[in-house]
Amino acid sequence: MLFYTVMKPVVRLGLRIFFRRLEVRHRERLRVPGPLMLCSNHPNTLMDPLVTAVQRHQPIAFLAKSTFFKNPILGAIMRSGNCIPIYRRQDVEGSANAPTPAQLAASNEASFGRCYDYLERGGTVMIFPEGTSVSERRLRPLKTGAARIALGTEARHDFKLGLQLVCVGTNYFDPSHFRSDVLLNVAPPIEVAAYAERYRQDPDAAADELTEEIRKRLTRRLVISRDAEDDQLAQQVERTFGDHLNPNDDPTTLYDNFELSRTLLDAVAWFEQHDPGRLAALREALGTYLADLENNKLDDDALDQSQRPGTRLADYLNLVLGFPVWLYGLLTNYLPYKLPAEVAHRATKETEFIAAIMLGVGMVTFPLAYALEAAAVQHWLTHDWRLTLLFVISLPLAGFYALGYWQTLSARLKRLRVRRLPGSTLAALQARRATVLRLLDEARAAYRRVG
């Protein structure tokens, strides 16, 4: 239980820093009393259980693939985090001394037994019924293990245990990047005892029906794309013109962005079937515009004159006077900030592992760097623990200020680059932008007429 006694507060702080926003829709559904089973999609490996676990006060037991337990260090961490191994045939095929199907089944029965015991004591178990983690905006076919464990637990108590099953749609908006957003979209609880009669008639059919209900509830709470090409177009539109298209004039929640994402994907699918010419024209115009922006090292915000940054004297004074603070934050935070991304991208090419590695490495590099810097300041400069403590407190504050300052400065530099563009280049970019906006507005109007 090391995770819940020592690491949980550290992980909660790490997640607060890593994500710009972590929004939970219907948080109260994650806090219903046990026994409770949580079922979620699985796009971001070890990050998925963490973002849910910190929302619930009681400990959660997680089912995790057995390969995580092979490494002695990682295995110890997984066990201390209350993880239960699940054994999949694809994880052992082709390996030396691979267990037989009967041995795999026996190992999994033992793991299921631990779940039964945990739930019977009023605990919480989290399962990812897709059975694998893939960084895509989709829901893969669900395995029936979660439903079988839930039904089997209730059956041992003649369906009087009161077990509830809650589906959690985990939506990342840029999963491999620091300071991105994540939305937990939580469904109403399912009373597992409602399947008692069906289970008594046919346990397999009951498991299939409960699995189908889990699939439906997750599907309604996820952004799901049909294929990579459609998803790429929808994300390009959302990231470039999301503010223009969002039906909420002042979107303040990630759920607004979630609804926009779903609407865009639905619209792309509708136009593919009913008006492919309009969709092809938009795809071509948007692709050309984004390529031109990239060639000129610009983004749409720099070209959008309706979103000009502040031009008051105070804004310029903030850039000038804030420069020393930015430099201080940069010098004291650069290495611990850059190392997690470097390590993650060198360690794996699989997108679904990058965020978890960055978080884990960052939870080491920042405390270590701050400790070394504090020791150096204490030894060579202050010789006073109170001044050194103030220095340590200033480090994360200066780091966040430096990050925000650079984003503001970068936006202004891009706008300055726009002003220095040759007139013909600027006119061509503005014309292409106007064309894309016109096509988007026309497509929105057409889609609303049939909606």
Side-chain angles (χ1 to χ4, degrees):
M1 300 296 285
L2 175 65
F3 174 79
Y4 287 95
T5 56
V6 178
M7 291 302 296
K8 186 176 179 179
V10 178
V11 171
R12 181 183 284 113
L13 177 61
L15 292 173
R16 278 179 170 268
I17 294 171
F18 188 88
F19 291 109
R20 184 179 60 172
R21 284 188 293 176
L22 199 170
E23 181 179 308
V24 184
R25 184 170 172 81
H26 298 299
R27 188 188 305 269
E28 71 281 358
R29 294 172 180 171
L30 285 177
R31 296 181 175 176
V32 298
L36 179 68
M37 177 178 287
L38 300 172
C39 290
S40 176
N41 59 311
H42 202 17
N44 209 358
T45 58
L46 298 178
M47 195 68 85
D48 300 329
L50 295 180
V51 295
T52 300
V54 297
Q55 310 302 325
R56 186 165 173 82
H57 301 306
Q58 295 81 6
I60 300 177
F62 305 95
L63 260 69
K65 61 181 181 180
S66 60
T67 52
F68 285 132
F69 296 80
K70 289 184 177 180
N71 181 288
I73 297 176
L74 182 57
I77 294 173
M78 297 292 286
R79 291 185 183 90
S80 69
N82 219 18
C83 294
I84 300 170
I86 195 74
Y87 299 85
R88 308 181 308 173
R89 186 175 294 112
Q90 64 263 38
D91 293 332
V92 297
E93 285 178 345
S95 63
N97 302 317
T100 65
Q103 290 172 323
L104 278 178
S107 297
N108 283 329
E109 280 300 320
S111 294
F112 288 175
R114 290 179 61 187
C115 293
Y116 296 149
D117 295 340
Y118 206 84
L119 292 170
E120 287 169 350
R121 294 195 300 268
T124 303
V125 172
M126 187 170 192
I127 299 179
F128 301 94
E130 289 173 289
T132 187
S133 179
V134 179
S135 184
E136 298 173 342
R137 299 208 295 185
R138 57 180 292 195
L139 185 66
R140 301 174 73 83
L142 304 187
K143 298 182 175 10
T144 59
R148 292 181 185 279
I149 292 172
L151 292 166
T153 304
E154 275 288 5
R156 291 170 64 163
H157 294 266
D158 197 27
F159 286 89
K160 296 177 182 178
L161 184 64
L163 173 62
Q164 299 183 90
L165 190 154
V166 171
C167 298
V168 183
T170 307
N171 297 272
Y172 297 92
F173 291 87
D174 201 355
S176 61
H177 286 80
F178 179 65
R179 303 302 289 168
S180 58
D181 300 328
V182 55
L183 168 69
L184 300 184
N185 200 1
V186 188
I190 300 171
E191 299 290 341
V192 179
Y195 291 82
E197 190 61 34
R198 186 59 169 148
Y199 183 85
R200 293 185 181 107
Q201 295 172 355
D202 188 337
D204 290 338
D208 290 339
E209 289 180 12
L210 180 53
T211 301
E212 176 61 15
E213 182 62 26
I214 294 170
R215 186 195 66 79
K216 288 179 180 177
R217 295 194 180 210
L218 285 175
T219 299
R220 288 196 291 268
R221 286 158 183 87
L222 292 171
V223 176
I224 297 178
S225 61
R226 295 189 311 153
D227 57 52
E229 189 177 13
D230 286 358
D231 196 36
Q232 181 186 39
L233 175 61
Q235 290 197 55
Q236 286 175 339
V237 171
E238 181 180 351
R239 291 172 181 173
T240 311
F241 299 107
D243 291 341
H244 178 79
L245 291 175
N246 205 307
N248 188 336
D249 292 334
D250 184 23
T252 56
T253 70
L254 293 180
Y255 189 72
D256 294 323
N257 296 340
F258 167 82
E259 289 189 310
L260 175 62
S261 298
R262 285 178 61 102
T263 300
L264 283 171
L265 285 166
D266 289 344
V268 168
W270 187 88
F271 281 111
E272 263 189 354
Q273 183 176 359
H274 298 94
D275 196 348
R278 188 192 297 272
L279 187 65
L282 173 59
R283 198 188 299 272
E284 181 179 359
L286 179 61
T288 301
Y289 174 60
L290 293 178
D292 286 348
L293 287 176
E294 184 176 358
N295 290 337
N296 288 281
K297 298 180 180 179
L298 298 172
D299 56 30
D300 183 72
D301 288 338
L303 211 63
D304 182 6
Q305 296 302 306
S306 67
Q307 300 292 332
R308 295 177 65 84
T311 56
R312 298 174 302 168
L313 178 61
D315 297 312
Y316 291 108
L317 284 176
N318 180 54
L319 284 174
V320 174
L321 298 178
F323 180 81
V325 183
W326 168 75
L327 186 60
Y328 170 69
L330 176 69
L331 293 175
T332 55
N333 287 270
Y334 183 78
L335 281 178
Y337 173 76
K338 292 295 290 185
L339 278 174
E342 287 294 323
V343 171
H345 286 93
R346 288 177 181 271
T348 183
K349 299 299 181 185
E350 299 178 69
T351 306
E352 58 268 20
F353 285 92
I354 288 176
I357 296 174
M358 286 175 63
L359 177 66
V361 175
M363 289 170 60
V364 174
T365 58
F366 275 98
L368 180 60
Y370 288 175
L372 292 174
E373 291 173 23
V377 166
Q378 173 71 19
H379 181 74
W380 281 296
L381 294 178
T382 65
H383 308 292
D384 185 333
W385 69 268
R386 290 164 296 188
L387 293 176
T388 302
L389 178 61
L390 289 175
F391 168 74
V392 171
I393 293 172
S394 75
L395 293 176
L397 299 177
F400 274 112
Y401 180 85
L403 191 61
Y405 181 94
W406 175 248
Q407 291 170 345
T408 301
L409 180 60
S410 178
R412 287 187 177 276
L413 291 174
K414 287 177 182 177
R415 287 185 174 274
L416 184 60
R417 196 177 297 129
V418 168
R419 293 183 182 181
R420 293 182 175 178
L421 288 175
S424 58
T425 302
L426 178 58
L429 279 171
Q430 290 174 332
R432 291 192 179 101
R433 183 176 193 275
T435 298
V436 174
L437 285 173
R438 175 179 56 80
L439 291 172
L440 283 173
D441 287 339
E442 291 173 355
R444 176 168 58 177
Y447 186 64
R448 282 178 173 174
R449 284 196 295 270
V450 300

